[in-house]
Amino acid sequence: MLDLKAPPSSGRNANNLAIQIYTQLKADIFDFRLLPSDKFSEGDIATRMQVSRTPVRQALFWLQREGYVDVNFRSGWQVRAFDFKYFEDLYEIRIMMETNAIAKLVELDLTERLATLREIWLIPEEEYLTDPTTVAALDEAFHARLVSAVGNDEMVRIHQDVTERIRIIRRLDFTKAPRIEATYREHAEILKKIFDKDVAGAQKMICGHIAESQAEVKRITLFMLQTARERYGSREEA
């Protein structure tokens, strides 16, 4: 029986093989190995990944619920057009939650709950980490901690859901060294303003920080999409 309730995570009792297929297909979509409007069948995926159709079908239904693919029972599956508005809406939700969290942390005098973040981000430039995967994980933890420190479990749950949905494109922000350096500097400044109880200043900074990250990810995505289309076109002509 297929689990249609929600996409998988490490805490669910979902079939591990279906999770692996889901993760790979999602990466294929966001790395443009599967292009918008590409059509394929469950059999195509099963053959390529050397698995049965059942876990493939499970993974595709999860992706359909997230809005990445459509199904036509006559012609199979198709990758949806890339929806920038969807991600813009998610980034807007992030900004609302994180600016609210900053205000609450200062209002309720909870800023010391962020003390461990200073050890990671308020460091000399020569100590900055450079591995994109590591910095992406630390960045995600920074923003998650801003929200979780308030102590509102429902806000944490919603923020985690938004984070999961944008993670696959957000990782692109750390593929360039200047963006890693900017992340360290901006996180440090945000923390300084929070500990100085400068709510407006911290909120302004985090809005700009998230907006610049969002813009950079969009630029990279558009470039990757154009490059993939050119590569795909060359392959078709060969």
Side-chain angles (χ1 to χ4, degrees):
M1 182 177 179
L2 295 178
D3 174 12
L4 305 181
K5 293 180 181 178
S9 67
S10 58
R12 296 185 182 277
N13 293 321
N15 180 279
N16 286 335
L17 185 55
I19 294 175
Q20 292 172 22
I21 296 166
Y22 160 87
T23 302
Q24 181 59 59
L25 288 175
K26 197 171 184 181
D28 286 346
I29 291 170
F30 279 87
D31 289 335
F32 301 111
R33 289 185 291 271
L34 283 172
L35 290 171
S37 301
D38 273 0
K39 294 181 179 180
F40 56 91
S41 69
E42 293 169 9
D44 294 335
I45 302 299
T47 299
R48 175 160 69 89
M49 296 189 175
Q50 298 183 320
V51 296
S52 69
R53 292 191 181 192
T54 299
V56 170
R57 188 176 302 118
Q58 173 69 87
L60 288 170
F61 274 115
W62 278 326
L63 290 168
Q64 182 189 31
R65 284 184 60 86
E66 288 189 335
Y68 298 123
V69 297
D70 290 314
V71 63
N72 184 307
F73 292 103
R74 290 183 180 274
S75 59
W77 296 83
Q78 184 172 24
V79 180
R80 282 192 185 179
F82 202 92
D83 187 356
F84 281 109
K85 186 180 185 305
Y86 169 73
F87 291 105
E88 287 167 0
D89 290 347
L90 292 175
Y91 271 95
E92 184 177 351
I93 293 169
R94 267 192 69 201
I95 288 172
M96 287 190 292
M97 285 193 289
E98 293 182 27
T99 52
N100 178 72
I102 288 171
K104 285 289 185 182
L105 287 169
V106 174
E107 176 189 343
L108 301 175
D109 198 23
L110 301 174
T111 54
E112 281 305 314
R113 292 183 179 181
L114 304 179
T116 56
L117 294 181
R118 287 191 290 195
E119 300 170 9
I120 299 171
W121 300 104
L122 274 71
I123 58 175
E125 187 172 344
E126 58 269 21
E127 294 181 17
Y128 290 177
L129 301 178
T130 57
D131 176 65
T133 302
T134 302
V135 178
L138 289 173
D139 172 73
E140 187 173 302
F142 171 87
H143 292 275
R145 185 56 185 160
L146 289 182
V147 174
S148 65
V150 175
N152 184 322
D153 292 341
E154 278 304 297
M155 188 161 67
V156 169
R157 181 186 62 77
I158 295 169
H159 188 267
Q160 287 175 339
D161 180 63
V162 171
T163 298
E164 169 63 27
R165 290 173 184 269
I166 65 174
R167 179 180 294 132
I168 200 157
I169 65 166
R170 187 173 167 187
R171 78 198 194 286
L172 297 174
D173 194 28
F174 301 100
T175 56
K176 298 181 180 179
R179 288 298 303 148
I180 291 177
E181 295 166 7
T183 296
Y184 270 97
R185 291 195 303 271
E186 291 165 12
H187 283 189
E189 288 303 314
I190 290 166
L191 286 171
K192 288 176 184 177
K193 289 187 179 298
I194 290 173
F195 281 98
D196 288 342
K197 302 189 185 304
D198 181 0
V199 173
Q203 289 176 328
K204 182 178 180 180
M205 281 214 65
I206 204 163
C207 286
H209 170 68
I210 294 174
E212 178 55 32
S213 173
Q214 178 184 354
E216 180 64 20
V217 164
K218 185 173 183 177
R219 285 192 290 268
I220 294 172
T221 302
L222 286 169
F223 174 77
M224 289 174 64
L225 179 57
Q226 180 61 33
T227 302
R229 282 175 172 158
E230 291 172 356
R231 186 173 65 246
Y232 184 82
S234 299
R235 191 169 66 239
E236 287 291 302
E237 292 171 5

